[in-house]
Amino acid sequence: MDKQHCHKASRTVEVTVLSAENLRLDRKSVKKNTYVVVRADPLNSGSTRADFEGGSSPSWNEKLTLDMPFQTRFISLEVKCRTGSGDRVIGTASLPVSDILGDYTPESHLHFLSYRLRDARGERNGIINVSARVKMPVESVGPPTTKNSVGYGCSSSWQQPTLGVPVGHRKNYYGGVVTGVPVWI
């Protein structure tokens, strides 16, 4: 890490592409050779292997780890099919980062999500099932505590506060985290 900067410009996201359902290409069920491209931004993407057996309901169960810049608002999920005339897009979906990094769940919480795929014409074209989590950073950003040649530096002893409600009988024991979604009546 650059001595002049305490911030990492990105965080790591794990997206496990599980499966898809009801995939069609030119209004016909897909037979084979489907894969998924996951993009956090134009420079950070990953791809699954092709599924040769699942037909219109392929299964990958493949984990992709990407750097996700802090300003990223959506992760793109693009299902493609290899054909004799080249690779064709079956459908795309956008995974809002707010779905995996919201106010009510701690970082590193594993989310299981399903999204409607849309083809190039914007028509419904199947569903994609994924799980996703934002990994906790190895180095945390802390309060400025020491001066260096460009101003304030980072404290190496600062720790990110624990989120959640203490669970267990010992004081300050966070053996688990209780989460919930508020309900307004």
Tab-separated table of all heavy atoms in Angstrom, residues 94-125:
chain	number	residue	atom	x	y	z
A	94	SER	N	-28.732	-6.836	-13.089
A	94	SER	CA	-27.877	-5.996	-12.259
A	94	SER	C	-28.104	-6.331	-10.801
A	94	SER	O	-29.248	-6.351	-10.334
A	94	SER	CB	-28.187	-4.510	-12.486
A	94	SER	OG	-27.825	-4.141	-13.793
A	95	LEU	N	-27.013	-6.624	-10.093
A	95	LEU	CA	-27.066	-6.895	-8.666
A	95	LEU	C	-26.709	-5.582	-7.964
A	95	LEU	O	-25.560	-5.152	-8.031
A	95	LEU	CB	-26.060	-7.991	-8.323
A	95	LEU	CG	-26.015	-8.554	-6.913
A	95	LEU	CD1	-25.301	-9.888	-6.919
A	95	LEU	CD2	-25.392	-7.636	-5.906
A	96	PRO	N	-27.678	-4.914	-7.333
A	96	PRO	CA	-27.352	-3.676	-6.610
A	96	PRO	C	-26.423	-3.983	-5.432
A	96	PRO	O	-26.687	-4.905	-4.658
A	96	PRO	CB	-28.702	-3.167	-6.108
A	96	PRO	CG	-29.725	-3.907	-6.910
A	96	PRO	CD	-29.103	-5.212	-7.273
A	97	VAL	N	-25.346	-3.233	-5.303
A	97	VAL	CA	-24.417	-3.436	-4.192
A	97	VAL	C	-25.153	-3.260	-2.871
A	97	VAL	O	-24.838	-3.931	-1.889
A	97	VAL	CB	-23.201	-2.492	-4.322
A	97	VAL	CG1	-22.328	-2.554	-3.083
A	97	VAL	CG2	-22.393	-2.862	-5.564
A	98	SER	N	-26.180	-2.424	-2.852
A	98	SER	CA	-26.957	-2.226	-1.621
A	98	SER	C	-27.659	-3.517	-1.175
A	98	SER	O	-28.017	-3.652	-0.013
A	98	SER	CB	-27.978	-1.106	-1.803
A	98	SER	OG	-28.892	-1.433	-2.837
A	99	ASP	N	-27.845	-4.487	-2.081
A	99	ASP	CA	-28.442	-5.764	-1.698
A	99	ASP	C	-27.499	-6.615	-0.855
A	99	ASP	O	-27.938	-7.498	-0.130
A	99	ASP	CB	-28.848	-6.571	-2.936
A	99	ASP	CG	-30.146	-6.087	-3.553
A	99	ASP	OD1	-30.728	-5.094	-3.054
A	99	ASP	OD2	-30.578	-6.702	-4.550
A	100	ILE	N	-26.194	-6.375	-0.968
A	100	ILE	CA	-25.231	-7.179	-0.207
A	100	ILE	C	-24.452	-6.354	0.808
A	100	ILE	O	-23.697	-6.897	1.598
A	100	ILE	CB	-24.239	-7.914	-1.145
A	100	ILE	CG1	-23.479	-6.937	-2.037
A	100	ILE	CG2	-24.974	-8.951	-1.960
A	100	ILE	CD1	-22.397	-7.574	-2.868
A	101	LEU	N	-24.648	-5.059	0.802
A	101	LEU	CA	-23.935	-4.186	1.722
A	101	LEU	C	-24.915	-3.155	2.257
A	101	LEU	O	-24.756	-1.969	2.085
A	101	LEU	CB	-22.777	-3.501	0.983
A	101	LEU	CG	-21.683	-2.885	1.828
A	101	LEU	CD1	-20.996	-3.948	2.668
A	101	LEU	CD2	-20.661	-2.198	0.949
A	102	GLY	N	-25.988	-3.650	2.881
A	102	GLY	CA	-27.039	-2.771	3.365
A	102	GLY	C	-26.828	-2.357	4.804
A	102	GLY	O	-25.864	-2.740	5.462
A	103	ASP	N	-27.769	-1.589	5.298
A	103	ASP	CA	-27.702	-1.060	6.662
A	103	ASP	C	-27.980	-2.104	7.729
A	103	ASP	O	-27.601	-1.940	8.869
A	103	ASP	CB	-28.719	0.076	6.830
A	103	ASP	CG	-28.366	1.285	5.994
A	103	ASP	OD1	-27.167	1.461	5.710
A	103	ASP	OD2	-29.283	2.040	5.637
A	104	TYR	N	-28.662	-3.187	7.393
A	104	TYR	CA	-29.141	-4.106	8.408
A	104	TYR	C	-28.387	-5.428	8.483
A	104	TYR	O	-28.745	-6.291	9.257
A	104	TYR	CB	-30.629	-4.372	8.190
A	104	TYR	CG	-31.419	-3.095	8.200
A	104	TYR	CD1	-31.951	-2.587	7.033
A	104	TYR	CD2	-31.566	-2.369	9.364
A	104	TYR	CE1	-32.648	-1.391	7.034
A	104	TYR	CE2	-32.253	-1.174	9.385
A	104	TYR	CZ	-32.793	-0.684	8.212
A	104	TYR	OH	-33.467	0.494	8.220
A	105	THR	N	-27.380	-5.605	7.663
A	105	THR	CA	-26.593	-6.829	7.714
A	105	THR	C	-25.116	-6.486	7.821
A	105	THR	O	-24.660	-5.511	7.235
A	105	THR	CB	-26.813	-7.709	6.464
A	105	THR	OG1	-26.487	-6.956	5.308
A	105	THR	CG2	-28.232	-8.207	6.371
A	106	PRO	N	-24.373	-7.261	8.563
A	106	PRO	CA	-22.942	-6.974	8.709
A	106	PRO	C	-22.177	-7.335	7.434
A	106	PRO	O	-22.639	-8.143	6.628
A	106	PRO	CB	-22.514	-7.885	9.865
A	106	PRO	CG	-23.512	-8.994	9.857
A	106	PRO	CD	-24.797	-8.404	9.358
A	107	GLU	N	-21.011	-6.704	7.274
A	107	GLU	CA	-20.136	-7.086	6.169
A	107	GLU	C	-19.806	-8.562	6.310
A	107	GLU	O	-19.814	-9.104	7.407
A	107	GLU	CB	-18.844	-6.263	6.194
A	107	GLU	CG	-18.977	-4.932	5.506
A	107	GLU	CD	-17.632	-4.272	5.291
A	107	GLU	OE1	-16.898	-4.670	4.374
A	107	GLU	OE2	-17.337	-3.352	6.068
A	108	SER	N	-19.535	-9.213	5.220
A	108	SER	CA	-19.216	-10.642	5.133
A	108	SER	C	-20.433	-11.536	5.286
A	108	SER	O	-20.298	-12.744	5.243
A	108	SER	CB	-18.136	-11.050	6.141
A	108	SER	OG	-16.921	-10.454	5.783
A	109	HIS	N	-21.624	-10.972	5.452
A	109	HIS	CA	-22.843	-11.786	5.525
A	109	HIS	C	-23.103	-12.368	4.132
A	109	HIS	O	-23.055	-11.667	3.137
A	109	HIS	CB	-24.022	-10.927	5.971
A	109	HIS	CG	-25.291	-11.685	6.115
A	109	HIS	ND1	-25.576	-12.463	7.210
A	109	HIS	CD2	-26.351	-11.795	5.283
A	109	HIS	CE1	-26.765	-13.008	7.058
A	109	HIS	NE2	-27.256	-12.622	5.900
A	110	LEU	N	-23.393	-13.661	4.066
A	110	LEU	CA	-23.652	-14.328	2.792
A	110	LEU	C	-25.122	-14.160	2.421
A	110	LEU	O	-26.010	-14.513	3.189
A	110	LEU	CB	-23.299	-15.810	2.893
A	110	LEU	CG	-23.444	-16.614	1.612
A	110	LEU	CD1	-22.502	-16.093	0.525
A	110	LEU	CD2	-23.157	-18.085	1.890
A	111	HIS	N	-25.367	-13.596	1.239
A	111	HIS	CA	-26.721	-13.344	0.748
A	111	HIS	C	-27.025	-14.291	-0.406
A	111	HIS	O	-26.205	-14.433	-1.318
A	111	HIS	CB	-26.855	-11.905	0.237
A	111	HIS	CG	-26.548	-10.879	1.267
A	111	HIS	ND1	-27.519	-10.290	2.044
A	111	HIS	CD2	-25.372	-10.324	1.662
A	111	HIS	CE1	-26.956	-9.429	2.857
A	111	HIS	NE2	-25.659	-9.435	2.649
A	112	PHE	N	-28.195	-14.913	-0.408
A	112	PHE	CA	-28.651	-15.735	-1.527
A	112	PHE	C	-29.705	-14.927	-2.264
A	112	PHE	O	-30.698	-14.506	-1.675
A	112	PHE	CB	-29.223	-17.074	-1.036
A	112	PHE	CG	-28.151	-17.978	-0.521
A	112	PHE	CD1	-27.749	-17.934	0.801
A	112	PHE	CD2	-27.510	-18.857	-1.383
A	112	PHE	CE1	-26.737	-18.762	1.264
A	112	PHE	CE2	-26.510	-19.690	-0.927
A	112	PHE	CZ	-26.112	-19.644	0.401
A	113	LEU	N	-29.455	-14.703	-3.568
A	113	LEU	CA	-30.271	-13.772	-4.342
A	113	LEU	C	-30.663	-14.370	-5.684
A	113	LEU	O	-29.915	-15.162	-6.263
A	113	LEU	CB	-29.482	-12.474	-4.582
A	113	LEU	CG	-28.886	-11.818	-3.330
A	113	LEU	CD1	-27.763	-10.892	-3.689
A	113	LEU	CD2	-29.978	-11.075	-2.590
A	114	SER	N	-31.810	-13.965	-6.196
A	114	SER	CA	-32.274	-14.354	-7.526
A	114	SER	C	-32.701	-13.096	-8.267
A	114	SER	O	-33.357	-12.225	-7.686
A	114	SER	CB	-33.463	-15.310	-7.440
A	114	SER	OG	-33.078	-16.511	-6.818
A	115	TYR	N	-32.333	-13.015	-9.542
A	115	TYR	CA	-32.657	-11.837	-10.348
A	115	TYR	C	-33.244	-12.255	-11.679
A	115	TYR	O	-32.835	-13.261	-12.267
A	115	TYR	CB	-31.412	-10.970	-10.587
A	115	TYR	CG	-30.884	-10.360	-9.320
A	115	TYR	CD1	-29.816	-10.938	-8.654
A	115	TYR	CD2	-31.459	-9.222	-8.778
A	115	TYR	CE1	-29.328	-10.395	-7.475
A	115	TYR	CE2	-30.983	-8.669	-7.595
A	115	TYR	CZ	-29.923	-9.261	-6.950
A	115	TYR	OH	-29.453	-8.734	-5.787
A	116	ARG	N	-34.172	-11.460	-12.167
A	116	ARG	CA	-34.776	-11.660	-13.477
A	116	ARG	C	-33.762	-11.241	-14.539
A	116	ARG	O	-33.179	-10.161	-14.454
A	116	ARG	CB	-36.034	-10.810	-13.602
A	116	ARG	CG	-36.611	-10.694	-14.972
A	116	ARG	CD	-37.344	-11.901	-15.450
A	116	ARG	NE	-38.486	-12.200	-14.609
A	116	ARG	CZ	-39.104	-13.375	-14.656
A	116	ARG	NH1	-38.684	-14.318	-15.466
A	116	ARG	NH2	-40.123	-13.613	-13.874
A	117	LEU	N	-33.536	-12.100	-15.511
A	117	LEU	CA	-32.675	-11.764	-16.642
A	117	LEU	C	-33.513	-11.083	-17.718
A	117	LEU	O	-34.679	-11.428	-17.923
A	117	LEU	CB	-32.030	-13.023	-17.225
A	117	LEU	CG	-31.010	-13.724	-16.338
A	117	LEU	CD1	-30.713	-15.129	-16.856
A	117	LEU	CD2	-29.731	-12.905	-16.246
A	118	ARG	N	-32.910	-10.121	-18.402
A	118	ARG	CA	-33.565	-9.431	-19.516
A	118	ARG	C	-32.699	-9.583	-20.752
A	118	ARG	O	-31.471	-9.460	-20.678
A	118	ARG	CB	-33.742	-7.941	-19.215
A	118	ARG	CG	-34.567	-7.644	-17.985
A	118	ARG	CD	-36.016	-7.642	-18.306
A	118	ARG	NE	-36.814	-7.411	-17.093
A	118	ARG	CZ	-38.115	-7.348	-17.109
A	118	ARG	NH1	-38.768	-7.473	-18.237
A	118	ARG	NH2	-38.776	-7.158	-15.998
A	119	ASP	N	-33.330	-9.841	-21.894
A	119	ASP	CA	-32.562	-9.964	-23.126
A	119	ASP	C	-32.290	-8.579	-23.722
A	119	ASP	O	-32.641	-7.554	-23.118
A	119	ASP	CB	-33.252	-10.903	-24.117
A	119	ASP	CG	-34.603	-10.392	-24.599
A	119	ASP	OD1	-34.915	-9.197	-24.423
A	119	ASP	OD2	-35.354	-11.199	-25.176
A	120	ALA	N	-31.690	-8.543	-24.910
A	120	ALA	CA	-31.316	-7.269	-25.544
A	120	ALA	C	-32.533	-6.383	-25.823
A	120	ALA	O	-32.411	-5.158	-25.876
A	120	ALA	CB	-30.549	-7.537	-26.833
A	121	ARG	N	-33.706	-6.985	-25.987
A	121	ARG	CA	-34.929	-6.211	-26.230
A	121	ARG	C	-35.603	-5.772	-24.931
A	121	ARG	O	-36.646	-5.130	-24.953
A	121	ARG	CB	-35.898	-7.033	-27.076
A	121	ARG	CG	-35.387	-7.347	-28.474
A	121	ARG	CD	-36.386	-8.162	-29.301
A	121	ARG	NE	-36.756	-9.434	-28.683
A	121	ARG	CZ	-36.069	-10.571	-28.813
A	121	ARG	NH1	-34.983	-10.597	-29.537
A	121	ARG	NH2	-36.488	-11.679	-28.228
A	122	GLY	N	-35.043	-6.180	-23.790
A	122	GLY	CA	-35.624	-5.827	-22.496
A	122	GLY	C	-36.696	-6.792	-22.035
A	122	GLY	O	-37.349	-6.567	-21.015
A	123	GLU	N	-36.884	-7.887	-22.774
A	123	GLU	CA	-37.904	-8.874	-22.407
A	123	GLU	C	-37.355	-9.863	-21.390
A	123	GLU	O	-36.167	-10.159	-21.389
A	123	GLU	CB	-38.383	-9.608	-23.658
A	123	GLU	CG	-39.104	-8.707	-24.621
A	123	GLU	CD	-39.556	-9.435	-25.887
A	123	GLU	OE1	-39.620	-10.680	-25.866
A	123	GLU	OE2	-39.848	-8.736	-26.867
A	124	ARG	N	-38.238	-10.386	-20.556
A	124	ARG	CA	-37.851	-11.381	-19.553
A	124	ARG	C	-37.247	-12.601	-20.237
A	124	ARG	O	-37.785	-13.095	-21.232
A	124	ARG	CB	-39.065	-11.831	-18.759
A	124	ARG	CG	-39.660	-10.748	-17.925
A	124	ARG	CD	-40.898	-11.273	-17.249
A	124	ARG	NE	-41.456	-10.255	-16.365
A	124	ARG	CZ	-42.479	-10.456	-15.583
A	124	ARG	NH1	-43.085	-11.633	-15.556
A	124	ARG	NH2	-42.919	-9.500	-14.816
A	125	ASN	N	-36.159	-13.084	-19.655
A	125	ASN	CA	-35.513	-14.248	-20.254
A	125	ASN	C	-34.830	-15.091	-19.190
A	125	ASN	O	-33.622	-15.252	-19.194
A	125	ASN	CB	-34.518	-13.836	-21.334
A	125	ASN	CG	-34.136	-15.005	-22.214
A	125	ASN	OD1	-34.811	-16.023	-22.233
A	125	ASN	ND2	-33.046	-14.868	-22.924
